[in-house]
Amino acid sequence: MARSPTFVEKDRPQEAAVRAELLHGLQATPAVVSPKYLYDALGSRLFAAITELPEYYLTRTEASIFAREIDAMADELPAGLTLVDLGAGNCEKAARLLGPLRISTYVAVDISVDFLRDALERLQQHHPEVDMLGVGSDFSSRLVLPAAVGDGARLLFYPGSSIGNFTPAQALDFLRQMHPAAQGGGLLIGVDLRKPVEVLEAAYDDPLRITAAFNRNLLRHVNQLVGSDFVLADWRHRAFFNSARSRIEMHLEALRSVTVRWPGAERAFAAGERIHTENSYKWRADDFAALLVDAGFSAIRRWTDERGWFAVFLARV
Ligand code: AVI
Protein backbone atom coordinates (compact mmCIF):
# COMPACT_ATOMS: atom_id res chain seq x y z
CA MET A 1 0.00 0.00 0.00
CA ALA A 2 1.24 3.51 -0.81
CA ARG A 3 2.57 5.51 2.13
CA SER A 4 0.61 8.58 3.20
CA PRO A 5 1.65 11.46 5.44
CA THR A 6 0.54 11.69 9.08
CA PHE A 7 -0.68 15.00 10.54
CA VAL A 8 -0.47 16.33 14.10
CA GLU A 9 -1.89 19.65 15.38
CA LYS A 10 -0.06 21.05 18.42
CA ASP A 11 -1.62 23.61 20.74
CA ARG A 12 -3.66 25.75 18.32
CA PRO A 13 -3.31 29.41 19.46
CA GLN A 14 -6.19 30.33 21.79
CA GLU A 15 -8.55 33.01 20.47
CA ALA A 16 -8.40 34.93 23.77
CA ALA A 17 -4.58 34.97 23.73
CA VAL A 18 -4.53 36.19 20.12
CA ARG A 19 -6.97 39.01 20.97
CA ALA A 20 -5.02 40.00 24.07
CA GLU A 21 -1.73 40.12 22.15
CA LEU A 22 -3.20 42.16 19.29
CA LEU A 23 -5.06 44.64 21.51
CA HIS A 24 -2.00 45.16 23.69
CA GLY A 25 0.04 46.03 20.58
CA LEU A 26 -2.66 48.31 19.17
CA GLN A 27 -2.79 50.28 22.43
CA ALA A 28 0.99 50.64 22.64
CA THR A 29 2.90 53.77 21.58
CA PRO A 30 4.10 53.31 18.93
CA ALA A 31 1.49 50.71 17.98
CA VAL A 32 2.85 47.35 16.93
CA VAL A 33 1.38 44.18 15.39
CA SER A 34 3.43 40.98 15.13
CA PRO A 35 4.41 40.05 11.54
CA LYS A 36 2.83 36.63 12.04
CA TYR A 37 -0.55 38.36 11.43
CA LEU A 38 0.58 39.15 7.86
CA TYR A 39 -0.16 35.50 7.03
CA ASP A 40 -3.86 34.77 6.74
CA ALA A 41 -4.86 32.80 3.60
CA LEU A 42 -4.67 35.91 1.37
CA GLY A 43 -1.48 37.15 3.06
CA SER A 44 0.23 33.82 2.35
CA ARG A 45 -0.76 34.12 -1.32
CA LEU A 46 0.51 37.70 -1.44
CA PHE A 47 3.79 36.59 0.09
CA ALA A 48 4.07 33.86 -2.56
CA ALA A 49 3.59 36.60 -5.19
CA ILE A 50 6.30 38.71 -3.52
CA THR A 51 8.77 35.87 -3.96
CA GLU A 52 8.16 36.10 -7.74
CA LEU A 53 8.90 39.83 -7.93
CA PRO A 54 12.10 40.83 -9.74
CA GLU A 55 12.94 43.20 -6.85
CA TYR A 56 12.57 40.50 -4.15
CA TYR A 57 15.95 38.86 -4.71
CA LEU A 58 15.92 36.72 -1.53
CA THR A 59 14.03 33.59 -2.67
CA ARG A 60 15.72 33.42 -6.06
CA THR A 61 19.21 34.01 -4.67
CA GLU A 62 18.80 31.39 -1.97
CA ALA A 63 17.50 28.88 -4.54
CA SER A 64 20.54 29.52 -6.73
CA ILE A 65 22.87 28.79 -3.78
CA PHE A 66 21.09 25.49 -3.07
CA ALA A 67 21.14 24.52 -6.76
CA ARG A 68 24.87 25.14 -6.99
CA GLU A 69 26.00 23.82 -3.62
CA ILE A 70 23.66 20.97 -2.77
CA ASP A 71 26.34 18.30 -3.38
CA ALA A 72 28.83 20.13 -1.16
CA MET A 73 26.13 20.30 1.54
CA ALA A 74 25.38 16.58 1.15
CA ASP A 75 29.10 15.81 1.63
CA GLU A 76 28.89 17.35 5.10
CA LEU A 77 25.92 15.28 6.26
CA PRO A 78 25.22 11.61 7.03
CA ALA A 79 22.41 9.81 5.19
CA GLY A 80 19.14 9.04 6.97
CA LEU A 81 18.52 12.34 8.77
CA THR A 82 15.06 13.63 9.67
CA LEU A 83 14.53 16.92 7.84
CA VAL A 84 12.43 19.30 9.98
CA ASP A 85 11.14 22.11 7.77
CA LEU A 86 10.22 25.09 9.96
CA GLY A 87 7.56 27.15 8.15
CA ALA A 88 7.17 24.62 5.34
CA GLY A 89 4.27 26.31 3.47
CA ASN A 90 4.05 24.61 0.08
CA CYS A 91 7.07 22.35 0.93
CA GLU A 92 8.72 23.43 -2.36
CA LYS A 93 12.15 24.29 -0.94
CA ALA A 94 12.48 21.07 1.07
CA ALA A 95 11.32 18.99 -1.90
CA ARG A 96 14.60 19.82 -3.66
CA LEU A 97 16.65 18.56 -0.69
CA LEU A 98 15.05 15.17 0.04
CA GLY A 99 16.89 13.14 -2.62
CA PRO A 100 20.30 14.89 -2.65
CA LEU A 101 20.55 14.95 1.18
CA ARG A 102 19.35 11.30 1.46
CA ILE A 103 16.62 12.23 3.92
CA SER A 104 14.67 9.33 5.47
CA THR A 105 11.93 11.29 7.27
CA TYR A 106 10.45 14.66 6.34
CA VAL A 107 8.62 16.72 8.96
CA ALA A 108 6.80 19.80 7.63
CA VAL A 109 5.93 22.31 10.35
CA ASP A 110 3.68 25.30 9.78
CA ILE A 111 1.30 27.41 11.81
CA SER A 112 -1.64 25.19 10.82
CA VAL A 113 -1.80 21.67 9.35
CA ASP A 114 -4.49 22.91 6.95
CA PHE A 115 -1.77 24.85 5.09
CA LEU A 116 0.30 21.67 4.75
CA ARG A 117 -2.18 18.98 3.81
CA ASP A 118 -2.28 19.28 0.00
CA ALA A 119 1.41 20.02 -0.49
CA LEU A 120 2.53 17.15 1.73
CA GLU A 121 0.16 14.65 0.12
CA ARG A 122 1.50 15.63 -3.32
CA LEU A 123 5.10 15.42 -2.16
CA GLN A 124 4.51 11.98 -0.66
CA GLN A 125 3.50 10.68 -4.11
CA HIS A 126 6.84 11.82 -5.53
CA HIS A 127 8.84 10.41 -2.59
CA PRO A 128 7.17 7.19 -1.47
CA GLU A 129 10.47 6.15 0.17
CA VAL A 130 10.36 9.04 2.70
CA ASP A 131 8.23 8.98 5.89
CA MET A 132 6.27 12.24 6.07
CA LEU A 133 4.67 14.04 8.99
CA GLY A 134 2.82 17.37 8.98
CA VAL A 135 2.85 19.35 12.24
CA GLY A 136 0.62 22.37 12.89
CA SER A 137 2.46 24.52 15.43
CA ASP A 138 3.32 28.15 16.03
CA PHE A 139 6.99 27.54 16.81
CA SER A 140 7.95 31.24 16.60
CA SER A 141 7.85 31.81 20.36
CA ARG A 142 8.83 28.29 21.58
CA LEU A 143 10.21 25.43 19.53
CA VAL A 144 8.66 22.25 20.91
CA LEU A 145 8.28 19.37 18.49
CA PRO A 146 5.79 16.56 19.18
CA ALA A 147 7.08 13.09 20.14
CA ALA A 148 5.82 11.79 16.77
CA VAL A 149 8.84 13.47 15.12
CA GLY A 150 10.94 10.62 16.59
CA ASP A 151 14.32 10.41 18.25
CA GLY A 152 16.60 10.27 15.19
CA ALA A 153 19.16 12.98 14.41
CA ARG A 154 17.43 15.96 12.82
CA LEU A 155 18.46 18.51 10.24
CA LEU A 156 16.47 21.62 11.10
CA PHE A 157 15.72 23.59 7.95
CA TYR A 158 14.94 27.30 8.32
CA PRO A 159 15.23 28.92 4.89
CA GLY A 160 14.14 32.24 3.40
CA SER A 161 15.84 34.44 6.01
CA SER A 162 12.84 34.00 8.31
CA ILE A 163 15.39 34.34 11.13
CA GLY A 164 15.68 37.97 9.96
CA ASN A 165 12.18 38.65 11.29
CA PHE A 166 13.55 38.16 14.84
CA THR A 167 15.61 40.78 16.68
CA PRO A 168 19.22 39.62 17.23
CA ALA A 169 18.36 38.74 20.88
CA GLN A 170 15.30 36.74 19.81
CA ALA A 171 17.33 35.08 17.04
CA LEU A 172 19.93 33.95 19.58
CA ASP A 173 17.21 32.60 21.87
CA PHE A 174 15.60 30.72 18.97
CA LEU A 175 18.93 29.26 17.79
CA ARG A 176 19.60 28.12 21.37
CA GLN A 177 16.29 26.26 21.31
CA MET A 178 17.18 24.72 17.96
CA HIS A 179 20.45 23.29 19.25
CA PRO A 180 18.96 20.55 21.49
CA ALA A 181 16.00 20.12 19.13
CA ALA A 182 18.42 18.93 16.41
CA GLN A 183 19.16 15.82 18.50
CA GLY A 184 22.75 15.50 17.36
CA GLY A 185 22.09 16.54 13.74
CA GLY A 186 22.39 20.12 12.54
CA LEU A 187 20.84 23.27 11.18
CA LEU A 188 20.54 24.46 7.57
CA ILE A 189 19.53 28.11 7.55
CA GLY A 190 19.18 30.90 4.97
CA VAL A 191 20.17 34.43 5.99
CA ASP A 192 19.81 37.68 4.07
CA LEU A 193 22.92 39.90 4.16
CA ARG A 194 23.58 43.65 4.16
CA LYS A 195 23.74 45.24 0.74
CA PRO A 196 23.14 48.65 -0.92
CA VAL A 197 20.12 50.43 0.55
CA GLU A 198 18.45 50.93 -2.85
CA VAL A 199 18.42 47.18 -3.46
CA LEU A 200 16.98 46.50 0.00
CA GLU A 201 14.31 49.17 -0.16
CA ALA A 202 13.14 48.17 -3.65
CA ALA A 203 12.70 44.59 -2.40
CA TYR A 204 10.28 45.80 0.31
CA ASP A 205 8.52 48.57 -1.64
CA ASP A 206 8.00 47.18 -5.13
CA PRO A 207 6.47 49.23 -7.94
CA LEU A 208 3.63 46.73 -8.44
CA ARG A 209 2.72 47.40 -4.80
CA ILE A 210 2.35 43.73 -3.92
CA THR A 211 4.31 44.29 -0.70
CA ALA A 212 2.03 47.25 0.09
CA ALA A 213 -1.01 44.97 -0.36
CA PHE A 214 0.66 42.30 1.81
CA ASN A 215 1.24 44.86 4.57
CA ARG A 216 -2.19 46.51 4.37
CA ASN A 217 -3.92 43.10 4.29
CA LEU A 218 -2.74 42.73 7.90
CA LEU A 219 -5.43 45.27 8.86
CA ARG A 220 -8.16 43.13 7.27
CA HIS A 221 -6.84 40.16 9.20
CA VAL A 222 -6.78 42.15 12.45
CA ASN A 223 -10.37 43.31 11.78
CA GLN A 224 -11.40 39.65 11.48
CA LEU A 225 -9.54 38.60 14.62
CA VAL A 226 -10.57 41.36 17.02
CA GLY A 227 -13.64 42.93 15.38
CA SER A 228 -11.89 46.26 14.77
CA ASP A 229 -12.95 48.67 12.01
CA PHE A 230 -9.68 49.60 10.29
CA VAL A 231 -10.42 51.18 6.89
CA LEU A 232 -7.61 50.12 4.55
CA ALA A 233 -7.84 53.29 2.45
CA ASP A 234 -6.75 55.28 5.53
CA TRP A 235 -3.35 53.56 5.69
CA ARG A 236 -0.25 53.55 3.52
CA HIS A 237 2.62 51.11 3.35
CA ARG A 238 6.03 52.38 4.47
CA ALA A 239 9.23 50.36 4.19
CA PHE A 240 12.76 51.69 4.75
CA PHE A 241 16.19 50.53 5.82
CA ASN A 242 17.17 51.45 9.37
CA SER A 243 20.93 51.39 8.95
CA ALA A 244 21.80 51.75 12.66
CA ARG A 245 19.79 48.59 13.40
CA SER A 246 20.59 46.89 10.10
CA ARG A 247 16.96 46.15 9.38
CA ILE A 248 14.20 46.89 6.94
CA GLU A 249 11.22 48.19 8.87
CA MET A 250 7.65 47.90 7.60
CA HIS A 251 5.00 50.19 8.98
CA LEU A 252 1.43 51.20 8.20
CA GLU A 253 1.06 54.97 8.34
CA ALA A 254 -2.24 56.80 8.91
CA LEU A 255 -3.01 59.08 5.95
CA ARG A 256 -5.30 61.25 8.12
CA SER A 257 -6.34 61.29 11.75
CA VAL A 258 -8.51 58.24 12.40
CA THR A 259 -10.16 56.54 15.34
CA VAL A 260 -10.23 52.77 15.19
CA ARG A 261 -12.84 51.01 17.30
CA TRP A 262 -13.19 47.43 18.50
CA PRO A 263 -15.52 45.87 21.08
CA GLY A 264 -14.75 47.51 24.42
CA ALA A 265 -12.18 50.12 23.32
CA GLU A 266 -10.84 52.45 20.64
CA ARG A 267 -7.56 54.08 19.60
CA ALA A 268 -7.05 57.44 17.94
CA PHE A 269 -4.18 57.71 15.44
CA ALA A 270 -2.92 61.12 14.31
CA ALA A 271 -2.14 61.67 10.63
CA GLY A 272 1.34 60.25 10.00
CA GLU A 273 1.24 57.97 13.08
CA ARG A 274 2.42 54.45 12.38
CA ILE A 275 1.81 50.83 13.28
CA HIS A 276 5.05 48.85 13.17
CA THR A 277 4.32 45.55 11.41
CA GLU A 278 7.68 43.92 10.60
CA ASN A 279 11.46 44.03 10.94
CA SER A 280 13.67 42.17 8.52
CA TYR A 281 17.25 42.14 9.79
CA LYS A 282 20.14 42.04 7.32
CA TRP A 283 23.16 40.29 8.80
CA ARG A 284 26.89 40.45 8.15
CA ALA A 285 27.87 36.84 7.43
CA ASP A 286 30.62 36.82 10.09
CA ASP A 287 28.23 38.16 12.72
CA PHE A 288 25.71 35.45 11.94
CA ALA A 289 28.40 32.76 12.14
CA ALA A 290 29.35 34.14 15.57
CA LEU A 291 25.69 33.99 16.62
CA LEU A 292 25.57 30.29 15.67
CA VAL A 293 28.65 29.64 17.79
CA ASP A 294 27.06 31.55 20.69
CA ALA A 295 24.02 29.30 20.38
CA GLY A 296 26.23 26.21 20.73
CA PHE A 297 26.65 25.17 17.09
CA SER A 298 30.01 24.18 15.60
CA ALA A 299 31.58 23.06 12.29
CA ILE A 300 29.92 25.98 10.56
CA ARG A 301 30.04 26.09 6.78
CA ARG A 302 28.59 28.87 4.66
CA TRP A 303 27.83 29.39 0.99
CA THR A 304 26.93 32.69 -0.67
CA ASP A 305 26.00 33.88 -4.17
CA GLU A 306 28.50 35.77 -6.38
CA ARG A 307 27.21 39.16 -5.19
CA GLY A 308 27.42 38.16 -1.54
CA TRP A 309 23.77 39.08 -1.04
CA PHE A 310 22.52 35.96 0.73
CA ALA A 311 24.11 33.15 2.73
CA VAL A 312 23.18 29.57 3.53
CA PHE A 313 24.78 28.23 6.72
CA LEU A 314 25.15 24.60 7.70
CA ALA A 315 25.96 24.16 11.38
CA ARG A 316 26.45 20.93 13.31
CA VAL A 317 25.45 20.30 16.90
C1 AVI B 1 9.23 35.86 5.56
N1 AVI B 1 10.21 36.94 5.64
C2 AVI B 1 11.57 36.39 5.63
C3 AVI B 1 10.02 37.98 4.62
C4 AVI B 1 11.16 39.03 4.72
O1 AVI B 1 11.77 39.30 3.69
O2 AVI B 1 11.40 39.52 5.81
C5 AVI B 1 8.67 38.63 4.76
C6 AVI B 1 8.48 39.81 3.85
N2 AVI B 1 8.09 41.00 4.23
C7 AVI B 1 8.01 41.80 3.20
N3 AVI B 1 8.36 41.13 2.12
C8 AVI B 1 8.65 39.88 2.51
Side-chain angles (χ1 to χ4, degrees):
M1 204 179 76
R3 242 182 232 193
S4 53
T6 311
F7 294 93
V8 186
E9 187 87 59
K10 260 190 86 350
D11 39 74
R12 223 177 226 285
Q14 294 299 302
E15 245 174 66
V18 167
R19 270 185 77 80
E21 181 195 351
L22 281 168
L23 296 182
H24 181 260
L26 288 176
Q27 300 279 26
T29 307
V32 59
V33 174
S34 163
K36 70 183 173 205
Y37 297 108
L38 290 164
Y39 301 93
D40 63 349
L42 178 57
S44 299
R45 290 204 170 95
L46 289 166
F47 177 64
I50 287 172
T51 67
E52 306 274 325
L53 291 170
E55 295 80 11
Y56 194 77
Y57 59 85
L58 289 82
T59 315
R60 201 169 305 114
T61 310
E62 183 183 54
S64 75
I65 298 170
F66 277 111
R68 204 182 57 212
E69 307 290 0
I70 191 69
D71 292 342
M73 293 174 192
D75 287 346
E76 302 285 326
L77 293 166
L81 289 169
T82 294
L83 183 70
V84 180
D85 188 358
L86 297 168
N90 61 12
C91 307
E92 227 174 65
K93 292 181 182 179
R96 295 187 214 117
L97 306 182
L98 297 179
L101 298 188
R102 300 153 294 157
I103 296 299
S104 62
T105 304
Y106 173 54
V107 181
V109 188
D110 214 309
I111 194 132
S112 151
V113 280
D114 303 334
F115 290 161
L116 295 168
R117 221 169 272 282
D118 292 352
L120 205 56
E121 274 163 4
R122 241 177 292 122
L123 192 61
Q124 181 76 85
Q125 285 170 17
H126 285 99
H127 291 275
E129 76 288 0
V130 178
D131 281 320
M132 294 197 184
L133 174 69
V135 178
S137 166
D138 175 10
F139 55 84
S140 61
S141 42
R142 196 123 291 277
L143 179 62
V144 185
L145 293 165
V149 176
D151 52 13
R154 300 165 179 170
L155 180 63
L156 304 183
F157 181 46
Y158 200 42
S161 200
S162 293
I163 195 78
N165 297 132
F166 291 124
T167 65
Q170 290 167 336
L172 178 60
D173 179 56
F174 192 56
L175 292 172
R176 283 190 172 141
Q177 293 178 51
M178 285 175 156
H179 188 265
Q183 297 188 157
L187 167 66
L188 188 58
I189 186 165
V191 182
D192 197 19
L193 304 179
R194 276 187 83 119
K195 60 188 61 62
V197 174
E198 320 75 73
V199 178
L200 287 169
E201 291 189 340
Y204 291 84
D205 197 5
D206 59 284
L208 258 184
R209 306 215 161 279
I210 307 287
T211 310
F214 173 64
N215 197 10
R216 292 164 78 227
N217 177 62
L218 172 136
L219 297 178
R220 271 177 18 114
H221 192 200
V222 170
N223 280 347
Q224 279 161 18
L225 291 170
V226 304
S228 50
D229 63 355
F230 278 102
V231 174
L232 270 65
D234 290 340
W235 298 85
R236 68 176 281 221
H237 166 68
R238 292 290 315 273
F240 53 84
F241 188 59
N242 177 335
S243 175
R245 295 192 146 150
S246 197
R247 69 189 192 195
I248 285 280
E249 294 185 9
M250 286 208 321
H251 299 258
L252 289 160
E253 187 176 287
L255 286 164
R256 56 183 189 88
S257 66
V258 288
T259 297
V260 179
R261 296 182 177 82
W262 56 84
E266 63 182 38
R267 161 87 192 250
F269 291 90
E273 203 173 342
R274 292 174 184 163
I275 304 172
H276 192 165
T277 54
E278 190 181 57
N279 292 316
S280 194
Y281 283 81
K282 307 304 167 189
W283 285 87
R284 288 198 171 86
D286 287 345
D287 293 344
F288 196 80
L291 195 76
L292 287 167
V293 172
D294 241 12
F297 289 96
S298 56
I300 293 155
R301 293 241 18 217
R302 79 173 85 141
W303 295 271
T304 55
D305 55 294
E306 314 74 56
R307 296 182 290 199
W309 281 8
F310 198 95
V312 175
F313 290 84
L314 176 62
R316 300 300 305 273
V317 167

